[in-house]
Amino acid sequence: MKTISSSNGQHTQSAPFLGDNFLLENKYAQQLYHDYAQQLPIIDYHNHLPPEQIATNHRFDNLTQVWLYGDHYKWRAMRTNGINERQITGEASDEEKFLAWAKTVPYTLRNPLYHWTHLELERYFGVDERLDAKNANAIYQHCNEQLQRPSHHVHGLLTQMKVETLCTTDDPVDDLAWHQALQGHPELRVLPTFRPDKAILIEQEGFLTYLQKLSAVSGRNIQDWDELLTALTERMDFFQQLGCCVADHGLEYVPMAEIDETKAAAILSERRMGKTLSTQDIHTYQATLLHQLGIRYHQRNWVMQLHLGALRNNNRRLLDQLGPDTGFDSIGDFTQARGLSNLLNRLDSTDQLPKTILYNLNPRDNEVFATMTGNFNDGSTPGKVQYGSAWWFLDQLDGMEKQLNTLSQMGLLSRFIGMLTDSRSFLSFPRHEYFRRLLCQLLGDDIQRGRLPADLPWIGQVVQDICYYNAQRYFNFVNDKNQ
């Protein structure tokens, strides 16, 4: 590992907290990680990476561009640390923004950003120093030099982390031109994910404008419910031609409402005429459309993802100034169980429930979601309905450990499909390593305590399944030409 500078006298050797056995506190955990988990490829089945930058093998000019652009995790921390918005999303230079982040990093101790920051610096750039204001200039220049090399263009960054499959997040109106350009890539599978939230959120201000966009791209004049379903169905067909096998929904909750196409059609007509909808009308439309989408996912053998529980755009002043997805979302306290159960039950009652992954953002709902999956696993495939990995504010040590423990106690950890980045950054893939180390520590600790047998070949196979093979089988990637 490379030391950039030692001007402050504190950086003459690797930081012990990022040593080979980081997070691995006994010999069993160490064996499980080093012998079974460490070398596996990565299937990242949910992220927000831009397909254009993958298709063009984008070269970033500097570390700020690859590391800070769009990263609302870091932006929130910088604001909390008293950094002016000018140096976060404003007109400051990229170098100024990096220096502002470097000043913030020491104050992130015990926040997951502290671990992620230093893992990313070391894994991608060989930097084993703790970033701060004193060494920021040297680290910035060192990383910028590496970013000019092919090994640190986008394809090189992905290759370094053994990324094998990426599922991006795409709107039905997207033309998927960059996914088409990526077809046949010899080393990397990049697939679109169908995310029709804007068609579901009928109450939002931009809904009618969105229908116009969907009409234009589908060639359908969407005047009624049937035309809407036809347009969405045809867009699914288009997505599937480019390998799509996953749909995703980011909603506050699944509404508890009757599922009635006749009523949904009438509600859509009223919305198109500019009428104000009641809350119950909104819920009926949403529940009915989700049901119809689920039927179509099942027909295509797609996986349905439900990300539930975010309270978005809380700060109206800064939303107006900066736009959405800039760091002003938080955990919501919505009621989740009944609406979710109603949707899954209606689909299951006609044997049209697709493989489904449930993600909660409020940790109080861990047991609710974990037990919900057991209601609809029917023996047709291992782990058909999954309790998804700790998401967003929960994808840190405490949140991941709680998710793993809840799943272990109320489901089958051994059938879990593992980690994802949910990220917009090409430097985020050490989060898979972070998860793998934590998983191995949990199991190694159980062995150490006599709670599990010291059967490392078997438990090592379970580790490998969770880290890679379960997802490979779940998404039907096993027989792909890239395997």
Side-chain angles (χ1 to χ4, degrees), residues 8 12 40 47 50 52 60 105-106 147 152 168 171 180 184 220 237 274 283 286 319 328 356 407 432 436 442 457 459:
N8 58 12
T12 57
L40 289 170
N47 60 73
E52 178 180 358
F60 296 95
V105 168
L147 285 169
H152 285 70
T168 61
D171 192 279
Q180 294 182 58
R220 296 276 175 181
D237 294 339
H283 287 175
Q286 291 175 338
L319 173 67
F328 302 102
T356 300
L407 175 57
H432 282 264
R436 291 173 181 185
L442 285 174
I459 296 177

Side-chain angles (χ1 to χ4, degrees), residues 316-327:
R316 177 57 59 178
R317 176 178 64 86
L318 290 175
L319 173 67
D320 292 342
Q321 178 182 330
L322 303 174
D325 301 320
T326 50

Side-chain angles (χ1 to χ4, degrees), residues 24 82 108 133 165 177 199-200 223 232 237 246 276 312 324-325 331 368 405 419:
L24 307 172
T108 66
T165 301
I200 296 170
Q223 299 289 325
L232 290 171
D237 294 339
V246 187
T276 300
R312 299 178 187 272
D325 301 320
I331 294 171
V368 172
N405 281 328
M419 184 60 174

Side-chain angles (χ1 to χ4, degrees), residues 38 40 55 106 132 134 156 165 181 183 205 265 281 304 310 318 336 357 373 379 426 451 479-480:
Q38 185 174 17
L40 289 170
D132 57 30
K134 296 177 182 178
T165 301
Q183 290 285 290
E205 183 177 345
D281 286 342
M304 177 171 68
L318 290 175
Q336 299 288 356
I357 311 172
T373 66
F426 288 99
R451 296 175 178 175
N479 296 318
D480 187 270

Side-chain angles (χ1 to χ4, degrees), residues 206-257:
F207 176 77
L208 296 179
T209 300
Y210 181 76
L211 289 189
Q212 294 175 355
K213 293 180 181 179
L214 184 58
S215 293
V217 75
S218 66
R220 296 276 175 181
N221 184 16
I222 301 174
Q223 299 289 325
D224 57 30
W225 174 258
D226 289 339
E227 283 292 328
L228 173 61
L229 286 182
T230 299
L232 290 171
T233 301
E234 290 177 351
R235 296 309 291 170
M236 288 185 211
D237 294 339
F238 174 61
F239 272 57
Q240 188 162 24
Q241 290 171 12
L242 293 171
C244 178
C245 60
V246 187
D248 183 44
H249 303 276
L251 306 172
E252 292 181 345
Y253 52 88
V254 175
M256 179 58 196

Side-chain angles (χ1 to χ4, degrees), residues 130-261:
R130 285 168 286 175
L131 177 62
D132 57 30
K134 296 177 182 178
N135 60 18
N137 283 311
I139 288 177
Y140 189 65
Q141 295 306 318
H142 169 78
C143 295
N144 288 350
E145 290 172 6
Q146 292 201 43
L147 285 169
Q148 307 315 304
R149 304 171 187 169
S151 63
H152 285 70
H153 300 175
V154 163
H155 290 179
L157 294 172
L158 296 173
T159 298
Q160 286 185 57
M161 295 295 109
K162 300 179 181 173
V163 178
E164 181 180 273
T165 301
L166 296 171
C167 295
T168 61
T169 303
D170 310 277
D171 192 279
V173 303
D174 290 348
D175 63 12
L176 303 185
W178 297 111
H179 285 91
Q180 294 182 58
L182 283 160
Q183 290 285 290
H185 192 286
E187 297 176 357
L188 179 65
R189 183 196 296 108
V190 182
L191 306 176
T193 294
F194 189 79
R195 176 105 172 219
D197 291 357
K198 292 179 181 178
I200 296 170
L201 298 174
I202 191 171
E203 75 281 11
Q204 291 199 343
E205 183 177 345
F207 176 77
L208 296 179
T209 300
Y210 181 76
L211 289 189
Q212 294 175 355
K213 293 180 181 179
L214 184 58
S215 293
V217 75
S218 66
R220 296 276 175 181
N221 184 16
I222 301 174
Q223 299 289 325
D224 57 30
W225 174 258
D226 289 339
E227 283 292 328
L228 173 61
L229 286 182
T230 299
L232 290 171
T233 301
E234 290 177 351
R235 296 309 291 170
M236 288 185 211
D237 294 339
F238 174 61
F239 272 57
Q240 188 162 24
Q241 290 171 12
L242 293 171
C244 178
C245 60
V246 187
D248 183 44
H249 303 276
L251 306 172
E252 292 181 345
Y253 52 88
V254 175
M256 179 58 196
E258 62 180 329
I259 293 172
D260 187 318
E261 285 199 81

Side-chain angles (χ1 to χ4, degrees), residues 21-41:
N21 291 323
F22 174 58
L23 301 182
L24 307 172
E25 299 176 2
N26 63 58
K27 65 179 182 179
Y28 300 111
Q30 293 161 14
Q31 284 182 265
L32 288 171
Y33 178 73
H34 294 300
D35 295 348
Y36 295 95
Q38 185 174 17
Q39 299 304 319
L40 289 170

